[in-house]
């Protein structure tokens, strides 16, 4: 057991855990941030995606100890107060989810994708970028639509701000 | 996962020292193979020595045509390196097709090379580029480094520090992905040097792991074109056969991927 410290959603946190504790379990069980899900045990489904130091990662295949000292953003850290993040709003507006199990990972993946590609995202790129995220309900169409809508919206906002 | 003890190394020397003090310790880089394997209880190292925070192991440098990629450089950083793309776009493209975006943000070239999975992508690039694996103790040519399935020339406790190679005149990698795992069902990396030397390395197909194919190399040395490969035969008897593909199917894939790679180079 050791005390693992990191910054999660802008807050400094520290909690005792075993060295073998996975980041996803640290978030869910030690910090009660249950928005990050576990959907597989083979690092393939992406339900567990969070951002570590600004990049999307699978929190089911990183030890909490490996993440010590880093800055983590989870799905709970996206919305600003009562306002949904533009990607969350786009998933809502475009019916980008059904059961919602994959959605936190999809949204975190989409935010990372839009950070890297901006408003230039096209459908083929979105589909290729979703390689590491599995959805058993939607057939992906509305997820792709949501991400493209969010990219257009956020690209537009960025341009307007420049 | 079985219990383990985590250590974070600050330098290569520190890592060697930390590991030598353990019972059955292992180095940990991106963890995209090792943590995944530990979760399945297929590996149970007593200790993990994390290399990801060692500054000397990170980054890419390009000096003229000579390239050095630090062992702890992620697949994403290789895929998106502007300097590397200018001299050897084939290796950027290869890195861009490993796994998925999240795996590429963590997984590293050193971890991939040390693991020598028979379906991994980098071993084909290293062999075709005649790369050198630089460790804390010596320099090992790629041709001597990959010694069998999940086997390498690394000694106990030896750390890969970097991979170096001279950028080729032309190169490309073509991969037939296993649609479920994203690993190579068969991948072929072809490279041609200014002096006309051609190397073609095959991953995902060999029963003993990555290998060079003489027939493909000879045909391409005479005539660098996809058409030149029409008459090449690939012997299925040395190839893998599993639930994903028979060895005959893989033999055909070797030829098709080689053609696609040459056409793209
Ligand atoms: C869903 C998924 C899909 C994937 N798809 C592909 C794919 O399409 N193609 C592909 O090639 N790979 C694929 N991978 C594997 C991925 O590329 C891994 O990143 C890579 O195999 C291991 O790199 P790592 O940095 O994560 O190493 P780790 O998992 O940390 O370590 C792997 C092994 O190497 C040793 N090691 C690590 N670094 C060093 C070093 N510097 N010196 C000596 N020994 C060292 C460790 O002790 C361990 O035995 C996939 C992985 C996942 C989870
Ligand atoms: S839970 Fe992490 S990839 Fe499935
Ligand atoms: S909405 Fe149910 S798994 Fe994606």
């Amino acid at each position: 057991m050791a005390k693992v410290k990191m910054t999660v959603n802008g807050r400094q946190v520290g909690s005792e855990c075993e060295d073998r504790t996975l980041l996803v379990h640290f978030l869910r069980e030690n910090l009660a941030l249950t928005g990050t899900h576990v959907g597989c045990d083979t690092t393939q489904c992406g339900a567990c995606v969070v951002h570590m130091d600004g990049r999307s990662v699978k929190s089911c295949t990183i030890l909490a100890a490996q993440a010590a000292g880093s800055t983590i953003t989870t799905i709970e850290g996206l919305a600003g107060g009562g306002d949904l993040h533009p990607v969350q709003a786009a998933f809502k507006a475009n019916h980008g989810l059904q059961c919602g199990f994959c959605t936190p990972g999809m949204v975190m993946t989409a935010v990372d994708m839009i950070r890297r590609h901006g408003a230039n995202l096209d459908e083929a790129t979105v589909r290729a970028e979703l390689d590491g995220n599995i959805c058993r309900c939607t057939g992906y169409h509305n997820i792709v639509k949501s991400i493209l809508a969010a990219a257009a919206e956020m690209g537009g906002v960025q341009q307007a701000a420049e | 996962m079985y219990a383990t003890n985590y250590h974070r190394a600050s330098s290569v020397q520190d890592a060697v020292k930390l590991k030598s003090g353990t019972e059955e310790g292992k180095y940990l880089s991106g963890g995209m193979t090792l943590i995944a394997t530990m979760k399945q209880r297929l590996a149970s190292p007593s200790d993990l020595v994390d290399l990801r925070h060692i500054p000397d192991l990170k980054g890419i440098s390009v000096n003229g045509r000579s390239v050095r990629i630090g062992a702890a450089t992620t697949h994403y950083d290789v895929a998106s390196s502007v300097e590397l793309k200018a001299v050897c776009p084939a290796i950027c493209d290869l890195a861009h097709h490993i796994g998925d975006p999240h795996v590429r943000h963590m997984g590293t070239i050193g971890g991939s090379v040390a693991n020598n999975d028979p379906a991994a992508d980098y071993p084909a690039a290293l062999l075709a580029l005649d790369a050198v694996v630089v460790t804390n103790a010596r320099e090992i040519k790629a041709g001597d480094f990959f010694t069998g399935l999940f086997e390498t020339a690394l000694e106990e406790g030896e750390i890969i520090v970097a991979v170096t190679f001279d950028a080729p005149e032309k190169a490309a990698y073509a991969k037939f992905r296993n649609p479920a795992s994203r690993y190579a069902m068969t991948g072929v990396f072809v490279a041609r040097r200014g002096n006309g030397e051609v190397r073609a390395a095959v991953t995902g197909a060999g029963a003993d792991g990555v290998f060079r194919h003489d027939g493909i190399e000879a045909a391409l040395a005479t005539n660098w074109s996809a058409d030149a490969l029409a008459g090449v035969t690939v012997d299925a008897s040395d190839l893998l056969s599993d639930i994903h593909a028979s060895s005959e199917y893989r033999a055909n894939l070797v030829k098709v991927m080689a053609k696609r790679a040459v056409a793209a180079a």
Side-chain angles (χ1 to χ4, degrees):
Chain A
M1 292 287 252
K3 188 158 187 159
V4 169
K5 292 186 204 164
M6 60 185 85
T7 305
V8 179
N9 299 333
R11 208 161 52 91
Q12 289 270 12
V13 298
S15 184
E16 291 273 331
C17 66
E18 285 188 274
D19 285 8
R20 66 173 152 178
T21 305
L22 297 170
L23 177 59
V24 69
H25 294 137
F26 184 81
L27 294 170
R28 289 177 58 87
E29 286 158 28
N30 294 53
L31 305 182
L33 293 170
T34 54
T36 304
H37 294 169
V38 178
C40 72
D41 53 16
T42 50
T43 320
Q44 282 174 311
C45 78
C48 62
V49 170
V50 302
H51 298 174
M52 182 162 83
D53 295 328
R55 291 179 173 190
S56 63
V57 295
K58 289 178 161 171
S59 63
C60 70
T61 309
I62 297 176
L63 301 177
Q66 279 177 283
S70 70
T71 298
I72 303 287
T73 306
T74 70
I75 189 73
E76 288 91 344
L78 279 191
D83 298 326
L84 291 181
H85 182 280
V87 173
Q88 292 173 308
F91 271 68
K92 188 175 176 204
N94 292 280
H95 194 51
L97 59 141
Q98 288 180 21
C99 81
F101 194 85
C102 70
T103 313
M106 289 290 179
V107 169
M108 297 312 285
T109 298
V111 172
D112 181 78
M113 198 188 297
I114 294 169
R115 168 183 70 80
R116 283 181 287 114
H117 296 275
N120 301 328
L121 265 181
D122 56 24
E123 183 182 338
T125 308
V126 173
R127 288 187 184 275
E129 289 270 347
L130 288 178
D131 264 352
N133 295 75
I134 293 174
C135 174
R136 283 298 182 235
C137 303
T138 63
Y140 302 96
H141 279 329
N142 286 354
I143 292 176
V144 174
K145 217 163 112 186
S146 304
I147 297 174
L148 288 171
E153 158 94 19
M154 289 167 72
V157 170
Q158 270 167 18
Q159 272 162 19
E162 273 165 15
Chain B
M1 189 186 298
Y2 293 108
T4 190
N5 299 300
Y6 173 87
H7 314 268
R8 187 173 288 187
S10 56
S11 68
V12 172
Q13 273 169 316
D14 186 33
V16 173
K17 200 166 141 232
L18 282 168
K19 187 172 171 315
S20 69
T22 70
E23 216 170 302
E24 273 185 61
K26 264 187 169 293
Y27 295 123
L28 173 65
S29 190
M32 292 297 105
T33 292
L34 186 49
I35 300 290
T37 316
M38 289 171 69
K39 280 170 57 177
Q40 310 281 341
R41 291 193 167 185
L42 295 172
S44 51
S46 62
D47 297 77
L48 293 171
V49 177
D50 192 349
L51 308 177
R52 213 167 57 90
H53 299 271
I54 301 177
D56 284 353
L57 295 192
K58 290 200 210 178
I60 298 168
S61 66
V62 179
N63 216 326
R65 303 209 47 88
S66 93
V67 174
R68 183 180 195 280
I69 305 175
T73 308
T74 62
H75 307 329
Y76 174 76
D77 287 331
V78 170
S80 57
S81 163
V82 177
E83 304 101 294
L84 196 50
K85 206 162 279 176
V87 295
C88 188
I91 198 158
C92 303
D93 180 61
L94 175 145
H96 182 66
H97 289 94
I98 296 176
D100 60 55
H102 326 301
V103 168
R104 294 194 289 272
H105 281 154
M106 285 301 291
T108 66
I109 187 168
S112 175
V113 169
N115 195 50
N116 193 18
D117 186 310
D121 298 303
Y122 273 125
L126 266 62
L127 202 52
L129 293 170
D130 198 11
V132 171
V133 178
V134 182
T135 77
N136 57 328
R138 58 195 167 133
E139 300 197 342
I140 311 168
K141 293 201 114 208
D144 300 323
F145 183 83
F146 302 108
T147 53
L149 299 183
F150 300 102
E151 296 282 337
T152 68
L154 286 176
E155 302 280 356
E156 181 57 37
E158 197 169 1
I159 297 185
I160 302 178
V161 174
V163 169
T164 64
F165 61 88
D166 285 331
E169 184 190 62
K170 271 175 181 291
Y173 179 62
K175 168 181 182 180
F176 190 90
R177 301 202 312 178
N178 177 317
S181 77
R182 318 291 177 202
Y183 276 91
M185 202 127 92
T186 291
V188 179
F189 198 107
V190 295
R192 187 176 79 177
R193 305 233 152 252
N195 64 8
E197 191 207 348
V198 171
R199 282 174 163 245
V202 180
T203 190
D208 289 326
V210 67
F211 67 95
R212 285 171 66 188
H213 195 282
D214 295 344
I216 294 174
E217 292 184 356
L220 293 178
T222 320
N223 175 9
W224 180 263
S225 79
D227 293 341
L229 298 173
V232 171
T233 47
V234 178
D235 185 357
S237 61
D238 299 334
L239 301 187
L240 281 172
S241 186
D242 57 24
I243 53 164
H244 306 297
S246 66
S247 45
E248 290 75 21
Y249 187 78
R250 280 193 166 87
N252 190 54
L253 276 181
V254 170
K255 213 161 137 174
V256 175
M257 291 305 115
K259 285 185 186 174
R260 284 189 193 170
V262 176

PDB file of all heavy atoms in Angstrom, chain B residues 48-71:
ATOM      1  N   LEU B  48       7.798  -4.066 -10.674  1.00  0.00           N
ATOM      2  CA  LEU B  48       7.800  -3.362 -11.954  1.00  0.00           C
ATOM      3  C   LEU B  48       8.688  -2.137 -11.822  1.00  0.00           C
ATOM      4  O   LEU B  48       8.538  -1.368 -10.874  1.00  0.00           O
ATOM      5  CB  LEU B  48       6.378  -2.918 -12.318  1.00  0.00           C
ATOM      6  CG  LEU B  48       5.386  -4.031 -12.633  1.00  0.00           C
ATOM      7  CD1 LEU B  48       3.969  -3.452 -12.763  1.00  0.00           C
ATOM      8  CD2 LEU B  48       5.779  -4.771 -13.905  1.00  0.00           C
ATOM      9  N   VAL B  49       9.597  -1.969 -12.767  1.00  0.00           N
ATOM     10  CA  VAL B  49      10.468  -0.793 -12.764  1.00  0.00           C
ATOM     11  C   VAL B  49      10.061   0.072 -13.957  1.00  0.00           C
ATOM     12  O   VAL B  49      10.304  -0.282 -15.114  1.00  0.00           O
ATOM     13  CB  VAL B  49      11.950  -1.203 -12.850  1.00  0.00           C
ATOM     14  CG1 VAL B  49      12.840   0.031 -12.917  1.00  0.00           C
ATOM     15  CG2 VAL B  49      12.322  -2.086 -11.662  1.00  0.00           C
ATOM     16  N   ASP B  50       9.407   1.187 -13.662  1.00  0.00           N
ATOM     17  CA  ASP B  50       8.815   2.038 -14.700  1.00  0.00           C
ATOM     18  C   ASP B  50       9.895   2.890 -15.376  1.00  0.00           C
ATOM     19  O   ASP B  50      10.610   3.655 -14.712  1.00  0.00           O
ATOM     20  CB  ASP B  50       7.757   2.943 -14.039  1.00  0.00           C
ATOM     21  CG  ASP B  50       6.875   3.656 -15.054  1.00  0.00           C
ATOM     22  OD1 ASP B  50       7.197   3.633 -16.255  1.00  0.00           O
ATOM     23  OD2 ASP B  50       5.853   4.235 -14.622  1.00  0.00           O
ATOM     24  N   LEU B  51      10.005   2.739 -16.713  1.00  0.00           N
ATOM     25  CA  LEU B  51      11.025   3.464 -17.483  1.00  0.00           C
ATOM     26  C   LEU B  51      10.475   4.743 -18.108  1.00  0.00           C
ATOM     27  O   LEU B  51      11.206   5.489 -18.754  1.00  0.00           O
ATOM     28  CB  LEU B  51      11.556   2.562 -18.618  1.00  0.00           C
ATOM     29  CG  LEU B  51      12.044   1.157 -18.246  1.00  0.00           C
ATOM     30  CD1 LEU B  51      12.448   0.397 -19.517  1.00  0.00           C
ATOM     31  CD2 LEU B  51      13.233   1.252 -17.291  1.00  0.00           C
ATOM     32  N   ARG B  52       9.180   4.969 -17.962  1.00  0.00           N
ATOM     33  CA  ARG B  52       8.499   6.017 -18.729  1.00  0.00           C
ATOM     34  C   ARG B  52       8.907   7.433 -18.336  1.00  0.00           C
ATOM     35  O   ARG B  52       8.641   8.382 -19.060  1.00  0.00           O
ATOM     36  CB  ARG B  52       6.979   5.859 -18.557  1.00  0.00           C
ATOM     37  CG  ARG B  52       6.153   6.248 -19.761  1.00  0.00           C
ATOM     38  CD  ARG B  52       4.723   5.758 -19.587  1.00  0.00           C
ATOM     39  NE  ARG B  52       4.121   6.277 -18.372  1.00  0.00           N
ATOM     40  CZ  ARG B  52       3.446   7.421 -18.299  1.00  0.00           C
ATOM     41  NH1 ARG B  52       3.257   8.153 -19.358  1.00  0.00           N
ATOM     42  NH2 ARG B  52       2.942   7.821 -17.146  1.00  0.00           N
ATOM     43  N   HIS B  53       9.555   7.565 -17.178  1.00  0.00           N
ATOM     44  CA  HIS B  53       9.906   8.919 -16.730  1.00  0.00           C
ATOM     45  C   HIS B  53      11.400   9.201 -16.853  1.00  0.00           C
ATOM     46  O   HIS B  53      11.906  10.138 -16.244  1.00  0.00           O
ATOM     47  CB  HIS B  53       9.404   9.135 -15.295  1.00  0.00           C
ATOM     48  CG  HIS B  53       7.914   9.007 -15.193  1.00  0.00           C
ATOM     49  ND1 HIS B  53       7.053  10.062 -15.369  1.00  0.00           N
ATOM     50  CD2 HIS B  53       7.132   7.911 -15.004  1.00  0.00           C
ATOM     51  CE1 HIS B  53       5.803   9.638 -15.274  1.00  0.00           C
ATOM     52  NE2 HIS B  53       5.823   8.331 -15.049  1.00  0.00           N
ATOM     53  N   ILE B  54      12.107   8.379 -17.618  1.00  0.00           N
ATOM     54  CA  ILE B  54      13.546   8.591 -17.798  1.00  0.00           C
ATOM     55  C   ILE B  54      13.750   9.495 -19.018  1.00  0.00           C
ATOM     56  O   ILE B  54      13.472   9.084 -20.140  1.00  0.00           O
ATOM     57  CB  ILE B  54      14.278   7.238 -18.012  1.00  0.00           C
ATOM     58  CG1 ILE B  54      14.037   6.318 -16.808  1.00  0.00           C
ATOM     59  CG2 ILE B  54      15.764   7.462 -18.265  1.00  0.00           C
ATOM     60  CD1 ILE B  54      14.646   4.932 -16.948  1.00  0.00           C
ATOM     61  N   PRO B  55      14.226  10.729 -18.800  1.00  0.00           N
ATOM     62  CA  PRO B  55      14.321  11.671 -19.929  1.00  0.00           C
ATOM     63  C   PRO B  55      15.183  11.151 -21.080  1.00  0.00           C
ATOM     64  O   PRO B  55      14.824  11.342 -22.254  1.00  0.00           O
ATOM     65  CB  PRO B  55      14.949  12.921 -19.292  1.00  0.00           C
ATOM     66  CG  PRO B  55      14.724  12.786 -17.824  1.00  0.00           C
ATOM     67  CD  PRO B  55      14.631  11.319 -17.524  1.00  0.00           C
ATOM     68  N   ASP B  56      16.301  10.442 -20.763  1.00  0.00           N
ATOM     69  CA  ASP B  56      17.208   9.948 -21.816  1.00  0.00           C
ATOM     70  C   ASP B  56      16.558   8.965 -22.781  1.00  0.00           C
ATOM     71  O   ASP B  56      17.081   8.725 -23.864  1.00  0.00           O
ATOM     72  CB  ASP B  56      18.403   9.208 -21.181  1.00  0.00           C
ATOM     73  CG  ASP B  56      19.398  10.180 -20.587  1.00  0.00           C
ATOM     74  OD1 ASP B  56      19.205  11.396 -20.789  1.00  0.00           O
ATOM     75  OD2 ASP B  56      20.347   9.713 -19.934  1.00  0.00           O
ATOM     76  N   LEU B  57      15.457   8.343 -22.369  1.00  0.00           N
ATOM     77  CA  LEU B  57      14.839   7.320 -23.220  1.00  0.00           C
ATOM     78  C   LEU B  57      13.799   7.909 -24.165  1.00  0.00           C
ATOM     79  O   LEU B  57      13.208   7.188 -24.965  1.00  0.00           O
ATOM     80  CB  LEU B  57      14.169   6.238 -22.362  1.00  0.00           C
ATOM     81  CG  LEU B  57      15.048   5.375 -21.472  1.00  0.00           C
ATOM     82  CD1 LEU B  57      14.255   4.192 -20.938  1.00  0.00           C
ATOM     83  CD2 LEU B  57      16.271   4.876 -22.215  1.00  0.00           C
ATOM     84  N   LYS B  58      13.562   9.224 -24.057  1.00  0.00           N
ATOM     85  CA  LYS B  58      12.456   9.791 -24.830  1.00  0.00           C
ATOM     86  C   LYS B  58      12.940  10.664 -25.970  1.00  0.00           C
ATOM     87  O   LYS B  58      13.980  11.303 -25.884  1.00  0.00           O
ATOM     88  CB  LYS B  58      11.591  10.654 -23.919  1.00  0.00           C
ATOM     89  CG  LYS B  58      10.833   9.838 -22.923  1.00  0.00           C
ATOM     90  CD  LYS B  58       9.667  10.630 -22.407  1.00  0.00           C
ATOM     91  CE  LYS B  58       9.353  10.220 -20.988  1.00  0.00           C
ATOM     92  NZ  LYS B  58       8.273  10.997 -20.432  1.00  0.00           N
ATOM     93  N   GLY B  59      12.156  10.713 -27.017  1.00  0.00           N
ATOM     94  CA  GLY B  59      12.369  11.689 -28.080  1.00  0.00           C
ATOM     95  C   GLY B  59      12.984  11.112 -29.339  1.00  0.00           C
ATOM     96  O   GLY B  59      13.543  10.021 -29.356  1.00  0.00           O
ATOM     97  N   ILE B  60      12.865  11.914 -30.394  1.00  0.00           N
ATOM     98  CA  ILE B  60      13.315  11.513 -31.727  1.00  0.00           C
ATOM     99  C   ILE B  60      14.330  12.534 -32.194  1.00  0.00           C
ATOM    100  O   ILE B  60      14.091  13.737 -32.067  1.00  0.00           O
ATOM    101  CB  ILE B  60      12.112  11.516 -32.693  1.00  0.00           C
ATOM    102  CG1 ILE B  60      11.068  10.492 -32.223  1.00  0.00           C
ATOM    103  CG2 ILE B  60      12.548  11.245 -34.136  1.00  0.00           C
ATOM    104  CD1 ILE B  60       9.735  10.593 -32.921  1.00  0.00           C
ATOM    105  N   SER B  61      15.481  12.067 -32.716  1.00  0.00           N
ATOM    106  CA  SER B  61      16.377  13.047 -33.331  1.00  0.00           C
ATOM    107  C   SER B  61      16.734  12.601 -34.735  1.00  0.00           C
ATOM    108  O   SER B  61      16.940  11.409 -34.998  1.00  0.00           O
ATOM    109  CB  SER B  61      17.624  13.271 -32.469  1.00  0.00           C
ATOM    110  OG  SER B  61      18.379  12.105 -32.443  1.00  0.00           O
ATOM    111  N   VAL B  62      16.729  13.553 -35.654  1.00  0.00           N
ATOM    112  CA  VAL B  62      17.056  13.280 -37.051  1.00  0.00           C
ATOM    113  C   VAL B  62      18.213  14.191 -37.418  1.00  0.00           C
ATOM    114  O   VAL B  62      18.126  15.410 -37.295  1.00  0.00           O
ATOM    115  CB  VAL B  62      15.841  13.564 -37.968  1.00  0.00           C
ATOM    116  CG1 VAL B  62      16.201  13.298 -39.420  1.00  0.00           C
ATOM    117  CG2 VAL B  62      14.637  12.716 -37.554  1.00  0.00           C
ATOM    118  N   ASN B  63      19.324  13.545 -37.828  1.00  0.00           N
ATOM    119  CA  ASN B  63      20.523  14.287 -38.171  1.00  0.00           C
ATOM    120  C   ASN B  63      20.877  13.940 -39.608  1.00  0.00           C
ATOM    121  O   ASN B  63      21.411  12.855 -39.848  1.00  0.00           O
ATOM    122  CB  ASN B  63      21.646  13.850 -37.214  1.00  0.00           C
ATOM    123  CG  ASN B  63      22.534  15.003 -36.874  1.00  0.00           C
ATOM    124  OD1 ASN B  63      22.747  15.879 -37.724  1.00  0.00           O
ATOM    125  ND2 ASN B  63      23.047  15.014 -35.645  1.00  0.00           N
ATOM    126  N   GLY B  64      20.570  14.821 -40.533  1.00  0.00           N
ATOM    127  CA  GLY B  64      20.719  14.432 -41.940  1.00  0.00           C
ATOM    128  C   GLY B  64      19.779  13.281 -42.205  1.00  0.00           C
ATOM    129  O   GLY B  64      18.568  13.436 -42.067  1.00  0.00           O
ATOM    130  N   ARG B  65      20.352  12.102 -42.536  1.00  0.00           N
ATOM    131  CA  ARG B  65      19.481  10.946 -42.763  1.00  0.00           C
ATOM    132  C   ARG B  65      19.590   9.930 -41.638  1.00  0.00           C
ATOM    133  O   ARG B  65      19.022   8.844 -41.709  1.00  0.00           O
ATOM    134  CB  ARG B  65      19.788  10.288 -44.114  1.00  0.00           C
ATOM    135  CG  ARG B  65      19.648  11.304 -45.237  1.00  0.00           C
ATOM    136  CD  ARG B  65      19.249  10.781 -46.572  1.00  0.00           C
ATOM    137  NE  ARG B  65      18.139   9.857 -46.680  1.00  0.00           N
ATOM    138  CZ  ARG B  65      16.848  10.217 -46.831  1.00  0.00           C
ATOM    139  NH1 ARG B  65      16.486  11.472 -46.803  1.00  0.00           N
ATOM    140  NH2 ARG B  65      15.934   9.293 -47.003  1.00  0.00           N
ATOM    141  N   SER B  66      20.339  10.280 -40.595  1.00  0.00           N
ATOM    142  CA  SER B  66      20.451   9.298 -39.509  1.00  0.00           C
ATOM    143  C   SER B  66      19.428   9.609 -38.410  1.00  0.00           C
ATOM    144  O   SER B  66      19.270  10.748 -37.968  1.00  0.00           O
ATOM    145  CB  SER B  66      21.895   9.184 -39.024  1.00  0.00           C
ATOM    146  OG  SER B  66      22.097  10.031 -37.958  1.00  0.00           O
ATOM    147  N   VAL B  67      18.708   8.554 -38.029  1.00  0.00           N
ATOM    148  CA  VAL B  67      17.548   8.683 -37.148  1.00  0.00           C
ATOM    149  C   VAL B  67      17.807   7.963 -35.834  1.00  0.00           C
ATOM    150  O   VAL B  67      18.391   6.872 -35.828  1.00  0.00           O
ATOM    151  CB  VAL B  67      16.297   8.051 -37.825  1.00  0.00           C
ATOM    152  CG1 VAL B  67      15.109   8.043 -36.888  1.00  0.00           C
ATOM    153  CG2 VAL B  67      15.970   8.769 -39.127  1.00  0.00           C
ATOM    154  N   ARG B  68      17.388   8.578 -34.733  1.00  0.00           N
ATOM    155  CA  ARG B  68      17.457   7.928 -33.428  1.00  0.00           C
ATOM    156  C   ARG B  68      16.109   8.115 -32.741  1.00  0.00           C
ATOM    157  O   ARG B  68      15.638   9.251 -32.584  1.00  0.00           O
ATOM    158  CB  ARG B  68      18.561   8.577 -32.592  1.00  0.00           C
ATOM    159  CG  ARG B  68      18.763   7.925 -31.240  1.00  0.00           C
ATOM    160  CD  ARG B  68      19.879   8.647 -30.475  1.00  0.00           C
ATOM    161  NE  ARG B  68      20.351   7.881 -29.339  1.00  0.00           N
ATOM    162  CZ  ARG B  68      19.728   7.825 -28.160  1.00  0.00           C
ATOM    163  NH1 ARG B  68      18.618   8.506 -27.972  1.00  0.00           N
ATOM    164  NH2 ARG B  68      20.227   7.091 -27.182  1.00  0.00           N
ATOM    165  N   ILE B  69      15.509   7.017 -32.340  1.00  0.00           N
ATOM    166  CA  ILE B  69      14.223   7.074 -31.630  1.00  0.00           C
ATOM    167  C   ILE B  69      14.428   6.484 -30.234  1.00  0.00           C
ATOM    168  O   ILE B  69      14.808   5.321 -30.099  1.00  0.00           O
ATOM    169  CB  ILE B  69      13.124   6.272 -32.378  1.00  0.00           C
ATOM    170  CG1 ILE B  69      12.989   6.758 -33.823  1.00  0.00           C
ATOM    171  CG2 ILE B  69      11.791   6.389 -31.644  1.00  0.00           C
ATOM    172  CD1 ILE B  69      12.002   5.941 -34.666  1.00  0.00           C
ATOM    173  N   GLY B  70      14.211   7.279 -29.212  1.00  0.00           N
ATOM    174  CA  GLY B  70      14.367   6.813 -27.831  1.00  0.00           C
ATOM    175  C   GLY B  70      13.382   5.704 -27.527  1.00  0.00           C
ATOM    176  O   GLY B  70      12.250   5.703 -28.032  1.00  0.00           O
ATOM    177  N   ALA B  71      13.799   4.749 -26.688  1.00  0.00           N
ATOM    178  CA  ALA B  71      12.989   3.549 -26.434  1.00  0.00           C
ATOM    179  C   ALA B  71      11.617   3.872 -25.852  1.00  0.00           C
ATOM    180  O   ALA B  71      10.637   3.197 -26.155  1.00  0.00           O
ATOM    181  CB  ALA B  71      13.741   2.602 -25.501  1.00  0.00           C
TER     182      ALA B  71
END
